[in-house]
Amino acid sequence: MPASTYRRTPFAALGVALALCLATPAFASLPASVDGQPLPSLAPMLAKVTPAVVNISTKTRVRARDPYFDDPLFRQLFGNQGVPRERVEQSLGSGVVVDAAKGYVLTNHHVVGGADDITVTLQDGRDLKAKLIGSDPDTDVALLQIPAERLQALPVADSTQLRVGDFVVAVGDPFGLGQTATSGMVSALGRSGLGKGFQNFIQTDASINPGNSGGALVNLRGELVGINSMIFTPSGGNVGIGFAIPTDLATGVMKQLLAYGKVRRGNLGVEVQDITPRIAQALGLKDSVGAVVTRVNEGSPADGAGLQTGDVLTAVDGKPVRGAQDVRNAEGLLPLGAKVKLGVKRDGASRDVEATIAAVAIATVDGAKVDARLAGVTLSDLTPEQKAQGLYGVALSGVKRGSRAASAGLEDGDIVVAVAQQRVAGVKSLPTKGSLGVRQLLLTVVRDGAVYYAVL
């Protein structure tokens, strides 16, 4: 069915029919057609879609925090006695089968990230244990695999062809009530600036409620155009502002998760800043549109393309740049090796240059090489995106269950800003093994904006 069919679908006829019903006695039935056109129904399309949308339930074992034993002085006095026990957290979400032959299911990172046990329930009632292939918190996309037996997958549409006003349907399992479909339209495209990570959301007024996360956003042909992700709400309820990850982004992440188990990102090697009215005045700019270059790394793709400090980036691959976040989004969403055309304004003149997205070199070190008590942990320099947020320190990853770090409550994604009360700027500033000479290793850790101590 061509895209133009959306305009011809007789939704207006439904309003005419409802008006006729209101003007007729209560016993009158809804006519089967109006002016020779059958009334529209989404039922035939949903009959093909719903078998491919699954319920996802997870169990995660987390360490129960104790305010007393999190205190380093208390731990010093009593040692490890009374270490808090684990508790099990459960959550619900949705997913979409995108490859029936291989059993691949797309969902959200926030639905399955960190889960110890993942169960996928099909529409026919079967419960299947799922394997986590990979998960990317920066785009909120995760890929699962389930046994490929009698599965039905959704065809994937090109989400770049979506237009504001196209009709869409969200399918998922809100509040664990069971499979539900809600309809609406595309309200906006390319939404970003809604939190952390790289964003290029489809905005829709189709209701997306808790439990819908990871479910399908489909067009009227029953093709997948997005993965439901989040809502904007001032009250906790749905107000008609929902967001879905477009399929061109989700499938790109899926390919990298299958190939590498993670998403390999690159950058241009340039730091940019929003243009305020005062900066625009100081640089002699006519307006505040775009992002000003504040630094170009030597030998980077930006350096090779001839960018200079003070240049203003106005477009990336033909898409207007409104601010620094647009540039960071473009870097994070483009695959390694992708050639990108940059619109640049310099000294009042505009021109286009081409650069190639290259891998970001991030230094890492095995925790055991820093201190034996950090065995089972990998420490890495922060990403350019984290540094752009004003963060410093080293990031933790690969925290092994049963390690001292795990027992102390450390988690993947934590940022260590000080070791033994000595500030850490990056991997190079970490102490070398044996240089600390302290009985207990005190780490200053940042997690979700909060700072706390961990003692190993």
Side-chain angles (χ1 to χ4, degrees):
M1 183 186 297
S4 60
T5 305
Y6 292 159
R7 295 193 296 270
R8 295 198 299 269
T9 304
F11 275 84
L14 182 57
V16 174
L18 292 175
L20 289 173
C21 287
L22 292 173
T24 55
F27 56 80
S29 61
L30 194 68
S33 63
V34 174
D35 293 333
Q37 287 190 319
L39 290 181
S41 174
L42 299 175
M45 179 271 285
L46 287 173
K48 298 177 181 179
V49 168
T50 52
V53 181
V54 302
N55 169 265
I56 296 175
S57 58
T58 66
K59 293 182 180 180
T60 306
R61 289 180 288 276
V62 297
R63 176 177 176 265
R65 302 294 297 275
D66 187 305
Y68 294 105
F69 284 92
D70 282 344
D71 185 284
L73 178 60
F74 220 83
R75 294 284 291 273
Q76 184 175 1
L77 291 173
F78 294 96
N80 288 325
Q81 297 179 18
V83 173
R85 294 175 294 179
E86 290 183 333
R87 70 175 187 273
V88 176
E89 291 184 347
Q90 297 180 311
S91 66
L92 292 173
S94 304
V96 186
V97 179
V98 291
D99 189 326
K102 296 181 179 178
Y104 293 144
V105 177
L106 277 176
T107 185
N108 290 144
H109 164 79
H110 77 260
V111 171
V112 298
D116 297 299
D117 183 79
I118 305 171
T119 301
V120 169
T121 302
L122 305 182
Q123 189 192 44
D124 61 16
R126 283 182 290 161
D127 290 333
L128 304 173
K129 293 298 181 183
K131 173 186 176 183
L132 179 63
I133 300 295
S135 187
D136 180 44
D138 288 328
T139 54
D140 198 23
V141 174
L143 180 64
L144 307 176
Q145 186 173 32
I146 57 177
E149 299 176 3
R150 306 191 314 278
L151 299 180
Q152 184 169 321
L154 278 186
V156 178
D158 180 2
S159 59
T160 62
Q161 299 303 308
L162 277 178
R163 303 162 302 169
V164 173
D166 283 347
F167 290 106
V168 287
V169 178
V171 184
D173 188 4
F175 303 105
L177 294 172
Q179 202 171 79
T180 304
T182 54
S183 66
M185 70 176 189
V186 174
S187 306
L189 295 167
R191 287 295 197 213
S192 61
L194 303 172
K196 299 178 181 178
F198 304 109
Q199 302 167 0
N200 184 28
F201 287 119
I202 301 166
Q203 181 181 327
T204 178
D205 61 354
S207 294
I208 298 174
N209 292 298
N212 266 123
S213 293
L217 188 72
V218 300
N219 59 25
L220 294 188
R221 294 188 293 271
E223 298 167 333
L224 185 68
V225 296
I227 303 295
N228 300 328
S229 180
M230 59 185 285
I231 62 172
F232 174 82
T233 172
S235 61
N238 188 284
V239 293
I241 305 177
F243 301 96
I245 302 161
T247 51
D248 62 319
L249 171 56
T251 54
V253 171
M254 173 180 167
K255 290 176 182 176
Q256 292 216 47
L257 293 177
L258 286 171
Y260 312 111
K262 62 179 182 179
V263 175
R264 301 192 308 172
R265 289 194 167 87
N267 73 349
L268 293 168
V270 63
E271 294 182 18
V272 293
Q273 180 181 342
D274 288 339
I275 303 175
T276 64
R278 295 187 66 180
I279 291 176
Q281 183 178 11
L283 295 177
L285 302 175
K286 295 180 180 179
D287 51 48
S288 302
V289 178
V292 63
V293 175
T294 57
R295 180 179 178 181
V296 178
N297 296 331
E298 186 177 352
S300 67
D303 188 25
L307 290 184
Q308 300 176 9
T309 301
D311 286 348
V312 175
L313 295 180
T314 58
V316 177
D317 273 347
K319 296 180 180 179
V321 169
R322 296 163 295 181
Q325 185 61 44
D326 286 343
V327 178
R328 298 185 191 112
N329 268 345
E331 286 182 307
L333 299 178
L334 288 169
L336 288 176
K339 294 187 181 298
V340 57
K341 184 180 289 186
L342 304 173
V344 181
K345 185 182 292 184
R346 180 187 299 167
D347 298 329
S350 298
R351 64 192 182 105
D352 291 333
V353 300
E354 190 176 86
T356 302
I357 299 294
V360 182
I362 295 180
T364 63
V365 64
D366 187 336
K369 294 182 178 180
V370 177
D371 188 280
R373 288 162 287 192
L374 288 172
V377 176
T378 298
L379 301 102
S380 308
D381 281 341
L382 302 187
T383 64
E385 294 73 35
Q386 289 173 314
K387 292 178 181 178
Q389 297 171 21
L391 299 175
Y392 69 91
V394 292
L396 301 185
S397 62
V399 179
K400 293 183 179 178
R401 185 180 297 277
S403 65
R404 289 193 181 187
S407 298
L410 294 174
E411 300 175 0
D412 287 1
D414 284 348
I415 297 175
V416 176
V417 296
V419 176
Q421 296 186 309
Q422 298 296 314
R423 175 175 166 144
V424 173
V427 166
K428 289 184 178 180
S429 64
L430 286 169
T432 56
K433 187 174 181 179
S435 65
L436 289 171
V438 292
R439 180 171 171 268
Q440 288 189 313
L441 184 62
L442 180 67
L443 305 179
T444 307
V445 181
V446 174
R447 180 189 298 165
D448 297 328
V451 183
Y452 74 98
Y453 289 129
V455 182
L456 284 75

